[in-house]
Amino acid sequence: MRILELTQETKDNILENLLKRSPNSYGEFEGRVAAIIDEVRSKRDAAIFQYTKQFDGAEIDASNILVTEEEIQEAYEKVDPVLLDVIRKALVNIKEYHEKQRQYSWFDSKDNGIILGQKVTPLARVGVYVPGGKAVYPSSVLMNVLPAKVAGVDEIIMTTPPGKDGKVFPSTLVAAKEAGVDKIYKVGGAQAIAALAFGTESIPKVDKIVGPGNIYVALAKKAVFGHVSIDSIAGPSEILVLADESADARFVAADLLSQAEHDEMASAILITTSKELANQVSVEVERFVAQLSRAEIIQKSLDNYGYILVAETLDEAIATANDIASEHLEIVMKDPFSVMTKIRNAGAIFLGTYSCEPLGDYFAGPNHVLPTNGTAKFFSALSVDDFIKKSSIISYTREALEPIYKDIVQFAECEQLTAHANSIRVRFEEQYLR
């Protein structure tokens, strides 16, 4: 990996380079995505079946688009029992973590007749998109479905692209069943997002769409936002490691590569105050790349978006980490908890030598659906909050309104909203007639 001295110029160049990976930078795909969405919106099922044949090579129609219980049972027979046990263990951890995020309705009543509050209501129907194609992500199923289940969503619809045989990956089906998905449809890509957003003869319209996908899925989610809610427009994976001389170079190198293997646009960055560690990590990265199965993808990722930055001071390193606002941030230092208190921007923070990023991806419990491309400055991890909505509750008696009604009338008239003022005044018009 390239080793650079951390300067303002270096930081500015890296930030500019990282932003090139944002889905917002791929406008040339937007026309194709818009055409797919329009086609699905007008032709509905017919468009879905056509695109599934075109992009996935599968013959899907109204009779087989919905995954059956028989297919799910067949999937259980194909999944390694050891993997099933791991899925169930991870499910417990993820569910328990998200149960702590639950919010409840509340009401505050006062002696003067005022009741104020907030009513928390789960969303009625949510769509979960799960990638397919060459990869299989049962962990993504758990992370997207379980917060919705904990929130109390009435119906969870899942879409995922089938293979050429018209089947869905067994581990994906098993994870969906274990997590509590209600219906699974065999459709992927931008066409699946359009179907969830607008509904077809087979697929019901949802209130919100969550889940990762390729650039077409990301841009489709962006395009349908407003017709439905979405979680975020996810970009490529990222990891940033803050480390000092106490870090194990081999561990740090392994952690950087755990994200670089996702795709050629993934980002892996080490910021350290130790030149010696920087050199050691660079050597260990080369050794690992020579051994790992996805070496070609990893190398392209590192060539394009991989950096080892040597900072003069810890404060400078922390400030740069906050500017980058990485999806995953590992703090591998003598006192990681102290450094953590100075971090403002990160999707997930991993503290200490043995809290490596894959722990969060699969098993610990916190959600692995995280903000990317610097959006950790204002977005959070997927949570139970994403699957609820809040309604304000206001109740005043006449006795509670009377002392302040003239204040409201004055406010409304200041804004020249006379009907607003009248709505208040009419309740006390006998006082104006005296």
Side-chain angles (χ1 to χ4, degrees):
M1 287 179 71
R2 78 196 94 175
I3 300 175
L4 302 173
E5 180 184 347
L6 179 55
T7 64
Q8 186 63 47
E9 182 181 5
T10 301
K11 181 169 71 173
D12 290 344
N13 290 338
I14 290 172
L15 289 171
E16 183 179 353
N17 191 39
L18 292 177
L19 286 176
K20 294 176 183 177
R21 306 170 312 128
S22 168
N24 293 321
S25 300
Y26 289 81
E28 71 269 24
F29 295 101
E30 289 182 348
R32 297 182 220 171
V33 169
I36 292 172
I37 292 172
D38 289 343
E39 192 82 357
V40 172
R41 198 170 181 182
S42 61
K43 296 184 179 178
R44 308 175 75 195
D45 267 1
I48 287 175
F49 303 151
Q50 173 196 332
Y51 285 126
T52 303
K53 175 65 175 175
Q54 179 181 342
F55 296 131
D56 302 304
E59 296 285 353
I60 298 296
D61 56 34
S63 69
N64 64 358
I65 189 171
L66 178 65
V67 172
T68 64
E69 281 298 320
E70 289 75 18
E71 288 176 292
I72 293 173
Q73 291 308 311
E74 181 183 340
Y76 271 90
E77 294 171 5
K78 292 182 178 179
V79 168
D80 187 334
V82 175
L83 174 59
L84 177 57
D85 185 54
V86 171
I87 287 174
R88 287 172 172 166
K89 289 178 180 177
L91 188 153
V92 169
N93 293 342
I94 297 165
K95 184 178 179 182
E96 287 182 351
Y97 179 86
H98 287 84
E99 282 175 341
K100 293 179 174 62
Q101 298 175 340
R102 272 185 176 147
Q103 293 194 46
Y104 300 93
S105 300
W106 59 267
F107 299 91
D108 180 26
S109 60
K110 299 180 180 179
D111 294 338
N112 61 0
I114 298 174
I115 299 176
L116 299 177
Q118 182 172 271
K119 182 177 184 293
V120 176
T121 308
L123 301 184
R125 181 185 289 140
V126 167
V128 175
Y129 185 86
V130 177
K134 298 178 181 178
V136 53
Y137 299 106
S139 63
S140 182
V141 177
L142 300 182
M143 292 293 184
N144 282 277
V145 173
L146 288 170
K149 291 296 289 186
V150 171
V153 171
D154 294 341
E155 186 177 18
I156 301 175
I157 305 295
M158 191 177 100
T159 63
T160 188
K164 291 182 179 180
D165 59 357
K167 301 285 188 180
V168 176
F169 283 116
S171 56
T172 298
L173 291 183
V174 167
K177 181 68 174 179
E178 293 289 323
V181 172
D182 295 292
K183 293 178 182 176
I184 306 168
Y185 293 93
K186 303 170 187 174
V187 56
Q191 59 271 25
I193 303 301
L196 291 169
F198 301 108
T200 72
E201 294 91 341
S202 297
I203 301 175
K205 172 180 167 52
V206 302
D207 300 312
K208 184 165 188 171
I209 302 172
V210 302
N214 61 20
I215 188 66
Y216 291 96
V217 170
L219 291 176
K221 288 170 70 176
K222 178 181 177 182
V224 302
F225 177 65
H227 298 283
V228 294
S229 179
I230 62 171
D231 52 349
S232 64
I233 304 169
S237 295
E238 305 165 342
I239 186 170
L240 191 152
V241 179
L242 276 175
D244 60 17
E245 68 281 358
S246 69
D248 185 302
R250 188 168 172 80
F251 291 177
V252 171
D255 293 355
L256 292 170
L257 300 185
S258 72
Q259 291 307 289
E261 77 168 341
H262 269 294
D263 64 65
E264 297 169 5
M265 297 177 70
S267 167
I269 299 174
L270 165 64
I271 305 178
T272 180
T273 51
S274 169
K275 290 183 180 179
E276 183 179 355
L277 178 71
N279 290 322
Q280 290 173 347
V281 169
S282 182
V283 170
E284 293 294 344
V285 164
E286 289 184 17
R287 288 175 180 168
F288 276 129
V289 171
Q291 302 168 8
L292 295 169
S293 62
R294 295 170 68 87
E296 185 176 351
I297 292 173
I298 291 172
Q299 192 59 59
K300 288 182 178 179
S301 167
L302 296 179
D303 290 344
N304 293 324
Y305 305 106
Y307 302 94
I308 296 176
L309 304 176
V310 180
E312 286 190 14
T313 67
L314 178 58
D315 286 343
E316 185 181 30
I318 292 171
T320 302
N322 280 325
D323 286 337
I324 292 173
S326 185
E327 176 187 18
H328 306 98
L329 172 65
E330 288 188 9
I331 303 176
V332 190
M333 294 184 162
K334 294 174 184 174
D335 186 5
F337 287 89
S338 176
V339 174
M340 180 268 294
T341 63
K342 300 177 183 178
I343 297 297
R344 294 183 63 92
N345 307 319
I349 303 173
F350 300 77
L351 303 176
T353 300
Y354 292 94
S355 305
C356 55
E357 188 278 337
L359 176 65
D361 264 357
Y362 296 113
F363 208 78
N367 210 287
H368 78 197
V369 181
L370 301 166
T372 57
N373 285 114
T375 60
K377 292 177 180 177
F378 45 83
F379 279 145
S380 306
L382 190 73
S383 72
V384 171
D385 292 351
D386 288 287
F387 300 99
I388 60 173
K389 53 194 180 73
K390 303 167 187 176
S391 302
S392 302
I393 303 297
I394 303 167
S395 175
Y396 270 59
T397 62
R398 178 185 174 88
E399 291 71 26
L401 183 61
E402 186 170 9
I404 51 94
Y405 84 91
K406 289 182 180 179
D407 295 336
I408 303 170
V409 168
Q410 184 173 7
F411 225 141
E413 289 178 341
C414 169
E415 296 185 351
Q416 299 181 16
L417 296 175
T418 56
H420 279 63
N422 185 62
S423 173
I424 294 289
R425 188 185 289 115
V426 71
R427 286 166 165 77
F428 300 94
E429 57 189 355
E430 75 281 359
Q431 297 187 23
Y432 284 91
L433 296 175
R434 290 175 187 170

